[in-house]
Amino acid sequence: KLLRLMMIMKKKSRMVKVNLVIEDKNWKSRYPKVNLFLTKSIKKILSSIFSSRAISFEISILLTGTKNMKNLNKKFRKINKDTDVLSFPAEEKNFFNKDLKSKKKVYLGDIALSYQYIEAIIKKQNISFDDYFKKMLVHGVLHLIGHEHDSFKKYKKMNLLEQKIIRTI
């Protein structure tokens, strides 16, 4: 009975694989169990977005610092400065509007986060690192699944969804 119950629980649980690269040692100091934290957070984020539990997701996360983030931002966005989060979707914007039930596994893409940029923001805004970090994770994942904020209407829609998801994690 116990084995059967475990198999049922496993079936109901969403499979999420997080590939993690930590380039800046400050991340390890702040989050000694960062892989577990990210996996739980990403799983909660995806569960609040996708109702189907049959799909497995994979995501890569780079925890870096100012220098590398500035280089990434310059290379991919032509902006020569640090930023909090960058997202590199693996799929086209319209991919997630289609029926995902036919997919067993989806690679979402890559997210990069800058420790120093986040630290500077939290000091200015007097908020917790954890809260802002979670917000940037949600923001990054939403970009991976096609959300944009290049107009006020899209910004408002994305921001409302972001807030809703943050409340669940």
Side-chain angles (χ1 to χ4, degrees), residues 44 63 91 113 121 134 151:
K44 287 178 183 178
L63 299 178
E91 299 292 343
L113 294 128
I121 291 290
K134 286 177 187 175
S151 71

Side-chain angles (χ1 to χ4, degrees), residues 4-167:
R4 187 167 177 233
L5 179 63
M6 287 171 53
M7 288 172 62
I8 291 168
M9 287 173 62
K10 191 171 184 158
K11 282 182 184 178
K12 288 185 177 183
S13 167
R14 179 179 306 283
M15 181 64 192
V16 175
K17 182 179 179 192
V18 176
N19 305 309
L20 178 62
V21 175
I22 304 172
E23 283 187 344
D24 189 294
K25 64 181 186 236
N26 290 304
W27 287 104
K28 281 187 180 179
S29 300
R30 182 171 290 273
Y31 298 105
K33 296 180 180 179
V34 71
N35 202 358
L36 182 63
F37 173 80
L38 286 171
T39 301
K40 283 182 175 182
S41 297
I42 297 293
K43 194 178 277 195
K44 287 178 183 178
I45 293 166
L46 294 173
S47 292
S48 65
I49 298 169
F50 300 105
S51 58
S52 172
R53 296 188 182 276
I55 305 166
S56 293
F57 292 98
E58 186 173 351
I59 187 171
S60 295
I61 298 178
L62 170 65
L63 299 178
T64 192
T66 295
K67 184 180 178 185
N68 193 33
M69 193 63 125
K70 186 176 176 180
N71 289 338
L72 289 170
N73 208 10
K74 185 176 181 181
K75 181 177 180 179
F76 293 102
R77 296 180 61 221
K78 310 293 185 243
I79 300 172
N80 191 21
K81 66 177 190 169
D82 192 10
T83 190
D84 42 18
V85 63
L86 289 173
S87 297
F88 303 95
E91 299 292 343
E92 296 294 321
K93 288 179 187 178
N94 294 329
F95 175 83
F96 294 96
N97 294 336
K98 298 173 187 170
D99 185 8
L100 286 177
K101 290 178 183 172
S102 64
K103 302 289 181 192
K104 296 251 189 258
K105 188 173 186 178
V106 175
Y107 183 74
L108 295 172
D110 311 325
I111 295 175
L113 294 128
S114 171
Y115 187 90
Q116 289 77 18
Y117 195 93
I118 292 172
E119 197 168 56
I121 291 290
I122 64 143
K123 286 177 182 173
K124 283 181 192 172
Q125 296 182 6
N126 197 28
I127 54 177
S128 83
F129 193 99
D130 289 358
D131 289 346
Y132 194 75
F133 183 35
K134 286 177 187 175
K135 179 179 170 58
M136 289 303 96
L137 278 176
V138 172
H139 190 86
V141 170
L142 288 177
H143 276 308
L144 293 182
I145 64 170
H147 289 271
E148 294 294 330
H149 48 80
D150 53 1
S151 71
F152 182 71
K153 187 178 178 182
K154 289 180 184 178
Y155 167 81
K156 196 172 176 182
K157 181 181 176 184
M158 185 174 172
N159 193 46
L160 286 171
L161 182 56
E162 213 171 80
Q163 290 173 20
K164 180 184 171 192
I165 295 167
I166 289 168
R167 284 192 295 272

